[in-house]
């Protein structure tokens, strides 16, 4: 934690590699918190169509009359966009710096040992990014969704994951599973960057990272599978 604090207090926060890792860790934490809240909200669909539609409407009324209708959602969207932008930017800069530090490619370089998630963090991030874009166009703007009425949230989810749109569900599953690997490694790396991890806590924190990733994946995947099996109509 001392390293992170020292880095944050310096003007070179946006230039040093340690500072960029701190930015990536903090922005990643904000995105994880949003994912957990979003996942919990999605599970309200199991309480019935009326309850889910009411929840979707309530999100647009948060902060009234201080905020305009849907004002809270727009503040949230801007905040998420900033966090996502910082996360992608810091990851890209760190990747470019790592490549420049090793400009020569050796023909017989020994493979670096690491988890599957660690080796695929970059591609995983790309897959998740494109899915988020599609997901917004499908269930937020309803550009790709058969249900255009924004008040019918439950119907949009059911039609969005309908059996005839199996390709949407397949893409959703791929993105969520990829997200799980990304979360598992990202949470662990973020805790290390912020100085939370040490030898004594390592096992517990790795278990926590896995648990958060598993619960998040399960929470998101249960909805489309419930639609496919007819549990949610």
């Amino acid at each position: 934690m001392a390293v992170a604090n020292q880095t944050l207090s310096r003007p070179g926060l946006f230039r040093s590699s340690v500072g960029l890792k701190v930015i990536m860790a903090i922005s990643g934490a904000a995105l994880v918190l949003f994912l957990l809240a979003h996942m919990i909200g999605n599970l309200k669909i199991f309480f019935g169509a009326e309850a889910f539609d009411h929840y979707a409407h309530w999100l647009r009324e948060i902060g009234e009359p201080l905020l305009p209708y849907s004002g809270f959602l727009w503040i949230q969207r801007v905040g998420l966009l900033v966090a996502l932008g910082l996360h992608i930017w810091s990851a890209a800069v760190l990747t470019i710096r790592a490549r420049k530090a090793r400009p020569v490619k050796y023909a017989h370089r020994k493979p670096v040992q690491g988890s599957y998630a660690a080796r695929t963090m970059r591609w995983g991030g790309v897959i998740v990014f494109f899915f988020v874009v599609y997901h917004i166009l499908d269930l937020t703007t309803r550009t790709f969704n058969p249900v255009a009425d924004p008040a019918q949230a439950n119907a949009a989810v059911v039609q969005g994951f309908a059996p005839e749109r199996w390709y949407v569900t397949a893409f959703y599953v791929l993105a969520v599973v990829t997200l799980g690997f990304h979360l598992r490694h990202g949470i662990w790396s973020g805790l290390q960057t912020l100085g939370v991890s040490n030898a004594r806590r390592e096992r517990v924190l790795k278990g926590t990272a896995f648990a958060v990733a598993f619960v998040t994946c399960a929470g998101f995947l249960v909805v489309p599978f419930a639609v496919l099996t007819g549990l949610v109509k």
Side-chain angles (χ1 to χ4, degrees), residues 126-137 161 168 171-173 175-176:
V126 172
I127 292 173
V128 172
F129 173 77
F130 281 112
F131 171 75
V132 168
V133 173
Y134 177 85
H135 195 57
I136 291 173
L137 292 173
F161 293 118
V168 175
F171 186 28
Y172 187 90
V173 172
V176 170

Side-chain angles (χ1 to χ4, degrees), residues 116-150:
Y116 174 82
R119 295 195 301 270
T120 57
M121 281 291 282
R122 294 163 195 163
W123 282 111
V126 172
I127 292 173
V128 172
F129 173 77
F130 281 112
F131 171 75
V132 168
V133 173
Y134 177 85
H135 195 57
I136 291 173
L137 292 173
D138 186 35
L139 292 176
T140 302
T141 66
R142 305 290 175 86
T143 305
F144 299 144
N145 197 284
V147 180
D149 187 354

Side-chain angles (χ1 to χ4, degrees), residues 71-203:
F72 170 78
L73 286 179
W74 279 108
I75 292 173
Q76 185 185 68
R77 287 164 183 163
V78 171
L80 288 172
L81 185 62
V82 171
L84 183 62
L86 287 173
H87 198 70
I88 294 175
W89 169 74
S90 55
V93 173
L94 288 169
T95 299
I96 293 171
R97 286 185 181 179
R99 289 179 178 176
K100 286 184 177 180
R102 193 182 62 246
V104 180
K105 294 183 178 180
Y106 297 98
H108 302 288
R109 185 168 61 89
K110 183 179 179 181
V112 177
Q113 297 297 320
S115 68
Y116 174 82
R119 295 195 301 270
T120 57
M121 281 291 282
R122 294 163 195 163
W123 282 111
V126 172
I127 292 173
V128 172
F129 173 77
F130 281 112
F131 171 75
V132 168
V133 173
Y134 177 85
H135 195 57
I136 291 173
L137 292 173
D138 186 35
L139 292 176
T140 302
T141 66
R142 305 290 175 86
T143 305
F144 299 144
N145 197 284
V147 180
D149 187 354
Q152 298 185 33
N154 185 86
V157 172
V158 172
Q159 292 298 320
F161 293 118
E164 59 270 21
R165 301 184 81 208
W166 59 268
Y167 49 90
V168 175
T169 303
F171 186 28
Y172 187 90
V173 172
L174 172 64
V176 170
V177 171
T178 303
L179 174 66
F181 283 109
H182 198 87
L183 284 176
R184 179 174 176 267
H185 181 74
I187 293 173
W188 168 240
S189 297
L191 292 173
Q192 287 182 307
T193 298
L194 297 176
V196 177
S197 175
N198 56 39
R200 181 171 57 85
R201 302 173 183 167
E202 182 175 346
R203 186 173 180 179

Side-chain angles (χ1 to χ4, degrees), residues 204-226:
V204 174
L205 293 177
K206 280 186 175 181
T208 301
F210 174 81
V212 172
F214 179 82
V215 169
T216 303
C217 283
F220 278 112
L221 289 177
V222 71
V223 174
F225 285 121

Side-chain angles (χ1 to χ4, degrees), residues 55-66:
Y55 165 71
H57 182 69
W58 171 77
L59 288 175
R60 290 167 171 80
E61 293 182 325
I62 295 177
E64 287 188 327
L66 179 63

